[in-house]
Amino acid sequence: MPSQEQMMKRQRVLADFGEFALRSENLDEVLAEACRLVAEALRTIRAKVLEIQEDGQYLLVRAGVGWDPGIVGRLRLPMREHSSETFAIKEGTPVITQDIRTEERFEVPEFMRQADVVALANVPIFVPGKKPYGLLQVDATEPREFGTEHTEFLRTYATILGPVIDRLQKVGHLRATEERFRLVVENARDYAIFTADPEDRITDWYAGAADVFGWTAEEAIGQPGSILFTPEDRQAGEDDKEIDTARREGWAPNVRWHIRKDGSRVFIDGSVTTLHHPDGSLRGFLKVGQDVTEQREADEALRESEARQRALIEGMPQLVWRAGHGGHRTWLSPQWSTYTGLSSEQSRGLGWLDALHPDDREAAIRAWSEAATTGVFSAEYRICHIAERSYRWFAVRAAPVRDNQGRIVEWLGTSTDIHDLRELQEQQAVVVAELQHRTRNLIAVVRSIAQQTMAASSSLEVFQSQFNDRLAALSRVQGLLSRADQEPITIRALIESELDALGAADLRERIVLDGPAVTLRKGSVQTLALALHELATNARKYGALGSDQGQLTVRWRVPVPEGEGRRLALEWVEEGIGGLSDEQSLIRRGYGRELIERALPYVLQARTSYELGATELRCSIDLPLSDGAAWESKP
């Protein structure tokens, strides 16, 4: 039974420990003082506190008095060992050993034997919730008669120590958390972190917020959170909407442009979170946001670039696509589906071959096989136009996309409609062939004119005059032919051209031209013009237009066809020509008559007649019109 003095001393120890625990917030200091006081109260030179660690795998000598420096804070006892310490923890009851030399219930750890421990008494320490924390133990170096009064004192001591340990552990965790928060907040300079009261007035302004927005803590604290909103957002009430949403939902997004102190803008990707008191009432708001201005501008630039690229690709007249090895399509522009009627899914892989002309598919596959070796893809094949249900020619080109090692990873290609170009090239070839043919014919005509004129000329001067006139007529015809696509050649235009060239414009009162508008086929114009030139030249020099009483009448018509197709019937009549000398009569029976009676039937399959009388000339020309010749019933 402890004496009154011992009882008072133990109570004083408990009171001293309580006061110390209230003053200190360092757990190691509190545990060390607890060991010192309990050793003093029970008159031992050694005492220790053991802490359970690693989910009950070990007991750490967390604090102690009277032990070597290598023990406290370092020595760990495996819980699997059958020691008095582990026994007390597992059983949850105090353990007393009067003399370890006679102890048979458990083994004594070697470090205690080396410290000459003979007797011991311990009790488990529990924190609130009956959660075991560890063990409080006193160790004596001589046999001691530890009894119930000692363990009851230790239990009382441990009962006080448990809540103190719990409080200091929570304080430590809180301080560690606050320290981590401080370090995070002070070093997260790209993040604007600050708090506001329930009225959205800034209460805490950390370094990151100062860096992002430019206001110092002294300038920002006390200001409304709306100072960070752009004028247009404040006018739209976005600042109030954000706080109202956070009050109602507990959280609100804050992703928008904000204003810096200098008036420049910064794009923030953040949020607003409500903070509450323990009783659930609103304490304020935590606002966290990252400066993503550069990323935002880069994203906008990328989106604009992609939009421009998409507009370019979708606006191109070409069909754009991407393909893997062997021509397996991986992506096709919208124009492809619009043109072919095949969806992207239907066209992927080798599905695009279905849009090709069956005769071109093998050649397309062969071109892809060659591209794997040459690194160049170039082909022309026909693709079906779904709307017109026809095939058109396309020039297909693709460039390889290579990786850092130079290996081809894919192909980027286009298909360009060249159908009209091919048709133009074919037409050009026909035109060139026609031009060559006409040139040869023209040379032959000039040679024939030269020979015939030479044969009928009495002198070089006569030959030169007639040959030049006939070349001029031929030149006028070529001029008409060169404009034939824009100005179709009519029989009236051909006759008037020849008469005007001979200066007959002043003799129009003695000229009658009567007939419908008839377009001549190009192949007949040259020969017919030469014949009309001879008729007009002779009429001007020796015939109706060469005398004062002469009259020229040219009539033509297109009779109703009778199984032969449409034809042009032309009649050339000169009246009042007067008597012709023998030489003039010979001229009128020369080259011109030969053209009419021999060349026109041969070249144009015409039917002709030429009758020269004493006072008049009658010439008729009946020749076939082309199937496409147009004519009207009125001149």
Side-chain angles (χ1 to χ4, degrees), residues 301-443:
L302 178 60
R303 281 193 295 270
E304 291 175 0
S305 176
E306 290 175 345
R308 288 193 297 269
Q309 182 183 37
R310 184 168 55 254
L312 176 63
I313 291 176
E314 293 181 359
M316 291 172 63
Q318 289 89 353
L319 313 179
V320 186
W321 43 267
R322 294 165 58 187
H325 296 294
H328 286 73
R329 297 283 170 86
T330 57
W331 176 86
L332 302 103
S333 65
Q335 297 96 312
W336 170 268
S337 296
T338 301
Y339 190 90
T340 65
L342 296 178
S343 67
S344 295
E345 291 73 18
Q346 292 172 320
S347 303
R348 294 185 195 278
L350 295 178
W352 57 275
L353 290 171
D354 292 340
L356 270 59
H357 193 286
D359 294 344
D360 297 338
R361 294 171 187 173
E362 183 178 348
I365 293 297
R366 186 167 56 251
W368 275 110
S369 300
E370 295 171 355
T373 303
T374 63
V376 176
F377 181 83
S378 178
E380 292 185 4
Y381 46 70
R382 289 162 288 180
I383 300 176
C384 181
H385 191 303
I386 189 64
E388 298 179 0
R389 296 190 178 277
S390 63
Y391 288 94
R392 295 179 63 85
W393 282 97
F394 278 76
V396 185
R397 306 289 184 267
V401 179
R402 301 179 185 272
D403 60 15
N404 293 334
Q405 285 72 42
R407 295 173 300 206
I408 297 175
V409 294
E410 70 171 345
W411 296 80
L412 179 62
T414 60
S415 302
T416 305
D417 189 335
I418 59 168
H419 193 83
D420 293 340
L421 178 60
R422 283 177 68 104
E423 287 188 343
L424 287 174
Q425 290 174 338
E426 292 174 358
Q427 293 174 6
Q428 185 181 42
V430 172
V431 169
V432 170
E434 176 67 18
L435 178 61
Q436 293 173 341
H437 174 70
R438 288 189 181 183
T439 301
R440 289 192 297 269
N441 286 347
L442 184 60
I443 292 173

Side-chain angles (χ1 to χ4, degrees), residues 247-263:
R247 286 196 182 101
R248 184 175 61 255
E249 305 292 339
W251 176 89
N254 182 19
V255 183
R256 57 172 54 87
W257 287 101
H258 291 66
I259 291 292
R260 292 189 178 99
K261 178 183 177 180
D262 62 5

Side-chain angles (χ1 to χ4, degrees), residues 94-364:
V95 172
I96 296 175
T97 296
Q98 307 290 356
D99 189 342
I100 64 174
R101 292 170 294 186
T102 62
E103 181 63 67
E104 296 180 353
R105 292 173 298 171
F106 38 72
E107 298 176 356
V108 178
E110 183 61 27
F111 83 97
M112 294 179 64
R113 291 183 183 277
Q114 292 177 357
D116 298 327
V117 173
V118 175
L120 61 87
N122 62 35
V123 294
I125 302 172
F126 295 95
V127 296
K130 286 300 279 187
K131 180 180 178 182
Y133 168 79
L135 192 73
L136 173 63
Q137 180 170 301
V138 291
D139 302 289
T141 56
E142 70 280 341
R144 287 284 300 273
E145 293 183 0
F146 288 122
T148 304
E149 72 276 11
H150 299 96
T151 57
E152 288 301 315
F153 170 72
L154 292 175
R155 285 183 59 196
T156 302
Y157 207 96
T159 301
I160 297 174
L161 188 58
V164 172
I165 292 172
D166 182 62
R167 179 180 68 82
L168 294 180
Q169 281 183 328
K170 290 179 178 177
V171 169
H173 289 315
L174 179 60
R175 285 183 174 176
T177 301
E178 290 177 344
E179 179 64 13
R180 287 194 296 270
F181 177 76
R182 183 186 65 80
L183 292 174
V184 169
V185 168
E186 289 182 357
N187 289 281
R189 295 304 180 99
D190 287 341
Y191 285 84
I193 303 174
F194 61 98
T195 60
D197 64 14
E199 302 304 321
D200 195 30
R201 290 186 297 270
I202 298 171
T203 56
D204 296 288
W205 186 262
Y206 298 103
D211 286 349
V212 171
F213 292 112
W215 280 283
T216 64
E218 292 76 13
E219 294 170 329
I221 292 175
Q223 295 289 338
S226 60
I227 65 169
L228 306 177
F229 281 70
T230 62
E232 57 268 25
D233 281 349
R234 286 199 299 269
Q235 185 176 1
E238 294 297 332
D239 50 345
D240 294 332
K241 292 178 185 177
E242 180 179 276
I243 292 300
D244 291 342
T245 301
R247 286 196 182 101
R248 184 175 61 255
E249 305 292 339
W251 176 89
N254 182 19
V255 183
R256 57 172 54 87
W257 287 101
H258 291 66
I259 291 292
R260 292 189 178 99
K261 178 183 177 180
D262 62 5
S264 62
R265 300 197 172 203
V266 55
F267 196 88
I268 297 296
D269 184 356
S271 63
V272 179
T273 304
T274 54
L275 301 175
H276 297 88
H277 292 291
D279 62 1
S281 60
L282 181 63
R283 177 181 173 184
F285 304 95
L286 172 65
K287 299 187 178 185
V288 181
Q290 184 181 14
D291 178 0
V292 294
T293 304
E294 292 184 1
Q295 178 183 340
R296 171 79 175 187
E297 291 174 346
D299 290 344
E300 289 182 350
L302 178 60
R303 281 193 295 270
E304 291 175 0
S305 176
E306 290 175 345
R308 288 193 297 269
Q309 182 183 37
R310 184 168 55 254
L312 176 63
I313 291 176
E314 293 181 359
M316 291 172 63
Q318 289 89 353
L319 313 179
V320 186
W321 43 267
R322 294 165 58 187
H325 296 294
H328 286 73
R329 297 283 170 86
T330 57
W331 176 86
L332 302 103
S333 65
Q335 297 96 312
W336 170 268
S337 296
T338 301
Y339 190 90
T340 65
L342 296 178
S343 67
S344 295
E345 291 73 18
Q346 292 172 320
S347 303
R348 294 185 195 278
L350 295 178
W352 57 275
L353 290 171
D354 292 340
L356 270 59
H357 193 286
D359 294 344
D360 297 338
R361 294 171 187 173
E362 183 178 348

Side-chain angles (χ1 to χ4, degrees), residues 30 55 58 96 340 382 400 404 447 451 464 470 554:
V30 169
D55 295 329
Y58 294 94
I96 296 175
T340 65
R382 289 162 288 180
N404 293 334
R447 182 185 296 114
Q451 291 174 348
Q464 182 178 3
R470 288 163 182 168
V554 184

